Amino acid sequence: MIQDTIAAISTPMGEGGIAVIRISGDEAVAAADRIFFGKSELGAVPSHTVHYGFIKHPLTLERVDEVLVTVMKAPKSFTMEDVVEISCHGGFISVKKVLDLLLEQQVRLAEPGEFTKRAYLNGRIDLSQAEAVIDLIRAKSDRAHRIALKQAEGSLSTNIKLLRHNLVELMAHIEVNIDYPEHDVEEMTNAFITNSCTQALGKIEQLLNTANQGKILREGIVTAIIGKPNVGKSSLMNTLAQENRAIVTEIPGTTRDVIEEFVTVNGIPLKLLDTAGIRETSDIVERIGVEKSKGALADADLILLVFNGSEKLESDELSLIEQLKDKQTIVIVNKLDLPQQIENDILAGHFPAERIVMMSLLEQQGIADLEKAIASLFFSGQVELNDQTYVSNVRHIALLKKAKIAIDDAFEAAGAGVPIDLIQIDIRNAWEYLGEIIGDSVGESLIDQIFSQFCLGK
């Protein structure tokens, strides 16, 4: 059992109306009581109550701040330990002084994610629910938030536990037939194993079918805005971001570096990369920007290839068209408000019609068409979240794929008449892979690695 008591600032650092300092552990109430001065001693108050008072130095009685203190006693707290939360005034000095006083009361500074780690180690949540907490914090859209919230509530855990329960029953049947063949038990046939594996595979495939959408909604689509100088790339960035994020001028080559911005388009999170115009140039700084643009091009999940509709295609652009025809690309023909000279037949010969969007960023035309094209490319025209469980975590996806392979092997072995004790090995492997998702079979080093990604105070 964890004995030491930890504390950390749970709200972002900086100026604000309120900052919260969280304490958890056996000495949480006593430590807070030594520096809190109110009408009642915290050790005597009921759980889940809030108390007004002052934080003072325990020896000099110097007043540090006016606070509200919330007391939550074990086991009915997030960590299942005694938890105290001190709500003080936001600001670097007042928060630091309160935390410093706490650290003098047999309390140590918490490690990143240690509160959530204790909730996991104390059995309040499993590992997949713990990982969903960080997804909740990092959610960039309403849909990503909804996925994370469902996982934090245990939707994925429920599915995984049911799968593992069914595999345990299958292994138990196999074990009985191996150890007690003389008893009158249900005969374990290859057909029974095949049927059980088919059901497990169906459930795993159902979860994996959500992985692409889930991962996109969790992490966003890395989207590179590509084109030659002065075609409207930065204007597109500013339009989608709804602010003047990039400098827009009539001078070609204004953008010299890759500018990043996270936006939500029609409910889909995009990590936009506004790049330097791709062209041959003697300018050393611009040439570095062009090389960075090519790097962004290679790393992107989606390319927004922008052309100036009032000009004919140049050789650099024709090269880009050929290079990107097999990538996830949406072509944007900008400056629709000007007389058109671009060779649309060339574009139509390389890209489907639904991936070519006519726009005038100056007059804000075509934005809805672009949003529709993005949704069609990644979500078959719509992004709908129903009651099904979405898998969005890369670690979970990898483990589900491993479990699927193991059950596939068991299925094929059963069909080939392999002895059932050998088939059981594959089934047990699948059971362990699924256990790693919820933390039932996982090493300490992986646990430490997962919780190290959390922010301090969570």
Side-chain angles (χ1 to χ4, degrees):
M1 182 177 179
I2 301 172
Q3 297 294 330
D4 55 344
T5 298
I6 58 174
I9 302 166
S10 291
T11 45
M13 290 297 293
E15 294 183 1
I18 296 174
V20 176
I21 298 171
R22 177 182 289 171
I23 319 159
S24 181
D26 293 341
E27 294 294 317
V29 176
D33 212 9
R34 285 192 285 271
I35 64 172
F36 174 74
F37 292 80
K39 289 185 177 180
S40 304
E41 292 186 0
L42 297 179
V45 302
S47 181
H48 292 75
T49 54
V50 182
H51 305 274
Y52 167 79
F54 297 90
I55 297 296
K56 298 181 181 180
H57 193 286
L59 299 179
T60 65
L61 299 182
E62 177 189 358
R63 183 178 293 185
V64 174
D65 202 359
E66 184 179 18
V67 300
L68 290 175
V69 174
T70 305
V71 177
M72 294 165 279
K73 296 182 180 179
K76 295 182 178 181
S77 71
F78 178 64
T79 62
M80 296 189 73
E81 303 171 342
D82 286 347
V83 170
V84 176
E85 291 185 350
I86 301 175
S87 299
C88 59
H89 289 94
F92 289 102
I93 301 302
S94 58
V95 176
K96 184 178 182 301
K97 284 189 172 184
V98 175
L99 181 60
D100 286 345
L101 281 180
L102 276 173
L103 296 181
E104 295 174 5
Q105 312 303 315
Q106 300 178 352
V107 175
R108 70 166 173 83
L109 189 64
E111 297 173 358
E114 191 169 1
F115 294 98
T116 308
K117 183 178 181 180
R118 290 191 176 196
Y120 161 66
L121 293 175
N122 291 333
R124 185 183 182 277
I125 56 176
D126 64 36
L127 195 56
S128 68
Q129 290 174 288
E131 290 172 288
V133 172
I134 195 169
D135 291 342
L136 270 173
I137 295 170
R138 295 176 177 175
K140 300 296 193 300
S141 68
D142 289 342
R143 291 180 172 93
H145 178 269
R146 285 166 59 189
I147 290 176
L149 187 60
K150 285 193 68 176
Q151 291 190 2
E153 291 171 348
S155 63
L156 178 60
S157 303
T158 300
N159 283 275
I160 297 301
K161 287 174 182 176
L162 180 59
L163 266 169
R164 296 188 85 221
H165 174 74
N166 293 339
L167 291 178
V168 165
E169 287 190 337
L170 177 57
M171 288 189 290
H173 280 295
I174 294 175
E175 199 67 40
V176 168
N177 278 262
I178 293 172
D179 294 344
Y180 305 101
E182 71 280 4
H183 284 68
D184 184 18
V185 296
E186 179 182 358
E187 183 181 355
M188 176 54 63
T189 64
N190 286 345
F192 184 86
I193 297 174
T194 300
N195 180 59
S196 298
C197 288
T198 300
Q199 293 180 22
L201 285 171
K203 188 59 182 177
I204 291 175
E205 287 171 356
Q206 181 182 342
L207 289 171
L208 285 173
N209 285 340
T210 70
N212 184 49
Q213 289 191 22
K215 184 172 180 290
I216 286 173
L217 290 172
R218 177 180 186 258
E219 300 179 2
I221 302 170
V222 179
T223 305
I225 304 174
I226 299 293
K228 73 175 188 180
N230 219 28
V231 295
K233 299 186 301 301
S234 295
S235 296
L236 178 61
M237 160 77 89
N238 292 340
T239 297
L240 294 176
Q242 298 182 350
E243 64 174 309
N244 291 327
R245 183 68 177 82
I247 299 172
V248 178
T249 73
E250 295 181 358
I251 304 171
T254 303
T255 303
R256 299 296 185 96
D257 204 348
V258 176
I259 300 173
E260 296 185 6
E261 184 72 19
F262 219 110
V263 303
T264 300
V265 174
N266 198 25
I268 304 171
L270 305 181
K271 182 182 179 182
L272 288 180
L273 308 176
D274 180 22
T275 64
I278 296 179
R279 66 171 179 173
E280 293 296 326
T281 176
S282 59
D283 187 305
I284 296 176
V285 177
E286 187 180 355
R287 193 158 61 233
I288 294 172
V290 171
E291 290 304 313
K292 287 189 175 183
S293 298
K294 292 177 180 178
L297 188 65
D299 296 336
D301 301 316
L302 171 64
I303 309 296
L304 299 182
L305 181 56
V306 186
F307 297 108
N308 181 349
S310 67
E311 297 178 352
K312 292 184 178 297
L313 294 169
E314 298 182 353
S315 58
D316 288 345
E317 294 176 309
L318 292 172
S319 177
L320 272 177
I321 290 172
E322 192 64 33
Q323 182 182 349
L324 299 176
K325 64 179 181 179
D326 296 324
K327 286 183 170 288
Q328 299 278 58
T329 303
I330 293 176
V331 173
I332 296 171
V333 179
N334 187 30
K335 305 192 180 182
L336 191 60
D337 51 292
L338 299 177
Q340 298 293 285
Q341 295 190 47
I342 193 168
E343 299 91 337
N344 287 314
D345 55 328
I346 295 178
L347 299 179
H350 289 82
F351 301 98
E354 62 271 16
R355 295 196 190 181
I356 301 175
V357 179
M358 312 301 290
M359 299 187 73
S360 170
L361 291 167
L362 180 65
E363 298 183 353
Q364 298 290 287
Q365 295 180 23
I367 297 171
D369 293 334
L370 175 60
E371 293 177 350
K372 182 180 177 181
I374 295 172
S376 297
L377 189 58
F378 287 93
F379 295 98
S380 302
Q382 57 188 347
V383 186
E384 293 184 357
L385 297 183
N386 49 33
D387 290 335
Q388 73 182 111
T389 298
Y390 280 73
V391 182
S392 57
N393 186 294
V394 174
R395 190 182 73 87
H396 300 167
I397 294 169
L399 288 167
L400 282 169
K401 288 179 177 178
K402 286 183 177 181
K404 181 179 182 298
I405 291 171
I407 296 176
D408 270 330
D409 290 343
F411 181 87
E412 292 177 5
V418 172
I420 58 176
D421 56 336
L422 297 179
I423 297 175
Q424 188 184 33
I425 296 173
D426 291 322
I427 297 171
R428 178 171 290 278
N429 286 339
W431 179 79
E432 289 182 349
Y433 290 138
L434 294 172
E436 288 187 42
I437 294 176
I438 58 177
D440 281 3
S441 54
V442 64
E444 186 176 344
S445 60
L446 178 59
I447 293 173
D448 291 340
Q449 179 185 345
I450 289 171
F451 287 104
S452 68
Q453 300 173 37
F454 282 58
C455 56
L456 198 65
K458 190 56 190 168

